[in-house]
Amino acid sequence: MEKLDKIDLRILRILQTDGRIQNIELAEKVGLSPSPCLRRVKILEEAGVIERYVALLNAAKVGAGLTVFVRIWLKAQDADTVDHFTKEIRQLPQVVECHLMAGDCDFLLRVVATDLDAYRDFQVHSLTRIKGVQSVKTEIPMQKIKSTSELPL
Amino acid sequence: MEKLDKIDLRILRILQTDGRIQNIELAEKVGLSPSPCLRRVKILEEAGVIERYVALLNAAKVGAGLTVFVRIWLKAQDADTVDHFTKEIRQLPQVVECHLMAGDCDFLLRVVATDLDAYRDFQVHSLTRIKGVQSVKTEIPMQKIKSTSELPL
DNA sequence: GATGAAAGCTTGTCCTA
DNA sequence: TAGGACAAGCTTTCATC
C-alpha cells in the first residue's frame, strides 16, 4: 500500500464513525462518484488498513458494565511461563485487552464483568488459577471519561 | 428492552465479529427469514444494545502503532480541577481511553502515537500543559497479547 | 475517475400460526 | 406476539470509456 492521500484519510475518518454507511453516501461525502470510492475502500481493506467492521455494544446492557484493570506478576519471565500465560489469557472472553509490559508489572489486562461479584469469581476461578501467576493487583475505574475506537488520522 | 433471548444473543455475537454482514446472511445464520431478523436488529439498535457500527483500522498502518498507558495525578481533586481536566482530555484525539480511578492515581489513560518521539511531544506539549496536572507516569507495553472489541455474551 | 446496467439486497406490508 | 412471503426501490459492483 502506497501512501494514503487526503481522500483515503477522509474515507477512513468516516468509516471509523459509521462502518455501515452506504457507498453511495460515502462517495458523496468525500467528493467522488460511487465506483472510484468503492475501489478505494476495497484497496484499503485488502491492504489491511481497514481490519474489520464490527458492531459496538452497550456494555451495561449486555451484562459487561464493569471494567477492571488488572496488573499481573508472574513467578518467572522465561518463554514457557509467558507463553503458557498468554495462551490461557487469549481463551478468556472476559479479558478484552492484555499487554506484556516493560517495567514494573508483567502484564496489564482490561477485564469486563457484570459486577464486582462476577469479577471476584473470575479472578479466583480463572485468572489466578493460570500456572505461573504470582500476584494480581486490581484497579477499579469509578467513571469512564472517554473510550473510543477512533484512531487519530 | 425486555430480556435478550437466544436468537438476540446469536445476532449480537455475529454482529460483534462482522458489523457489515448482510441481513440475508445474518438471517440464515441465526435461523430466521430476513424480515424478522431485520426487525430484531432494528429493535436492538433502538434499545441502544447496539450502539454503533464502526470500521476498525490497523493502528500501525495509520501511524498510531504505539500504545502507551499513562497514570495521572492532579494537584487537587475538587470538581473544578477534575472537570477541567476531563474536558481537555476529551478534546485530545490521541487519548483513546480515560478513566477516573479509585485508589492510587487519579486517571488512567490509553494514548496512541506514531512512535516514542511523537508521544514525548504529546506529553510535553499537550498532556502536562493541562491545568491541574501534578504528575504523569508513563507505562509502555512491549507486546500486545490481545485486544478486542467483542464483549462476552 | 465517470457512466451505465445487471444482479442482488433491504425493507415495508400483509398474511399466517 | 412473532415469523414468513413477496415486491418495489435502492445499492452494489463490474465492465467499459
Side-chain angles (χ1 to χ4, degrees):
Chain A
M1 181 98 201
E2 306 103 77
K3 266 200 93 181
L4 302 166
D5 68 12
K6 275 198 165 179
I7 296 182
D8 289 325
L9 292 177
R10 228 179 293 168
I11 288 174
L12 293 174
R13 268 189 217 110
I14 293 170
L15 287 175
Q16 277 199 115
T17 69
D18 181 1
R20 261 199 162 174
I21 189 172
Q22 308 217 27
N23 180 56
I24 217 167
E25 191 186 343
L26 178 61
E28 206 172 297
K29 288 199 179 188
V30 302
L32 286 178
S33 63
S35 316
C37 180
L38 182 63
R39 216 177 293 154
R40 279 170 181 265
V41 172
K42 291 281 173 238
I43 290 172
L44 291 166
E45 287 170 6
E46 269 150 36
V49 177
I50 297 172
E51 275 185 345
R52 62 196 318 200
Y53 299 90
V54 300
L56 300 181
L57 308 186
N58 181 308
K61 292 185 179 169
V62 297
L66 178 68
T67 289
V68 176
F69 290 91
V70 187
R71 293 170 180 283
I72 294 188
W73 287 261
L74 298 185
K75 288 177 186 146
Q77 286 71 36
D78 59 285
D80 280 357
T81 309
V82 169
D83 285 356
H84 179 260
F85 178 78
T86 60
K87 221 168 274 167
E88 294 288 318
I89 282 295
R90 288 204 188 91
Q91 309 299 314
L92 299 173
Q94 296 98 329
V95 178
V96 293
E97 229 171 294
C98 173
H99 301 267
L100 173 58
M101 301 302 284
D104 187 21
C105 68
D106 291 325
F107 291 92
L108 178 59
L109 276 60
R110 190 158 67 84
V111 175
V112 296
T114 302
D115 50 32
L116 261 182
D117 266 16
Y119 173 70
R120 183 170 29 75
D121 196 74
F122 166 80
Q123 177 169 315
V124 174
H125 292 108
S126 298
L127 201 52
T128 55
R129 283 220 182 138
I130 300 174
K131 215 180 80 188
V133 170
Q134 176 160 83
S135 73
V136 161
K137 190 174 164 194
T138 299
E139 308 197 357
I140 305 208
M142 293 195 292
Q143 193 190 345
K144 187 202 289 173
I145 306 297
K146 182 175 184 179
S147 176
T148 179
S149 63
E150 279 176 62
L151 302 175
L153 294 176
Chain B
M1 179 101 201
E2 304 102 78
K3 265 200 93 181
L4 302 167
D5 68 11
K6 277 198 164 178
I7 297 182
D8 290 326
L9 292 176
R10 229 179 294 166
I11 288 174
L12 293 174
R13 269 189 216 107
I14 293 169
L15 287 176
Q16 277 199 115
T17 68
D18 181 1
R20 260 200 163 173
I21 190 172
Q22 309 218 46
N23 180 57
I24 216 168
E25 190 185 344
L26 177 62
E28 205 173 298
K29 289 199 178 188
V30 303
L32 287 177
S33 62
S35 320
C37 180
L38 183 63
R39 217 176 293 154
R40 279 171 180 266
V41 172
K42 292 280 175 241
I43 290 172
L44 291 166
E45 287 169 5
E46 270 150 34
V49 177
I50 298 172
E51 276 185 343
R52 61 198 317 200
Y53 300 89
V54 301
L56 300 181
L57 309 186
N58 182 306
K61 292 185 179 167
V62 296
L66 177 69
T67 287
V68 177
F69 290 91
V70 187
R71 293 170 179 283
I72 295 187
W73 288 260
L74 298 185
K75 288 176 186 147
Q77 286 71 35
D78 59 284
D80 280 357
T81 309
V82 170
D83 285 356
H84 179 261
F85 178 78
T86 60
K87 220 166 275 169
E88 295 289 315
I89 282 295
R90 288 204 188 92
Q91 309 300 316
L92 299 173
Q94 295 97 331
V95 178
V96 292
E97 228 171 296
C98 173
H99 301 266
L100 173 59
M101 301 301 285
D104 188 20
C105 68
D106 292 324
F107 291 93
L108 178 59
L109 276 61
R110 191 158 67 83
V111 175
V112 297
T114 302
D115 51 34
L116 262 183
D117 265 15
Y119 173 71
R120 183 170 29 75
D121 196 74
F122 166 80
Q123 176 170 317
V124 174
H125 291 107
S126 299
L127 201 51
T128 56
R129 284 220 182 139
I130 300 174
K131 214 181 84 189
V133 170
Q134 176 161 85
S135 74
V136 161
K137 191 175 161 192
T138 300
E139 306 196 359
I140 304 207
M142 290 195 294
Q143 194 190 344
K144 186 202 290 173
I145 307 297
K146 182 177 184 177
S147 176
T148 179
S149 62
E150 278 177 63
L151 302 174
L153 293 177

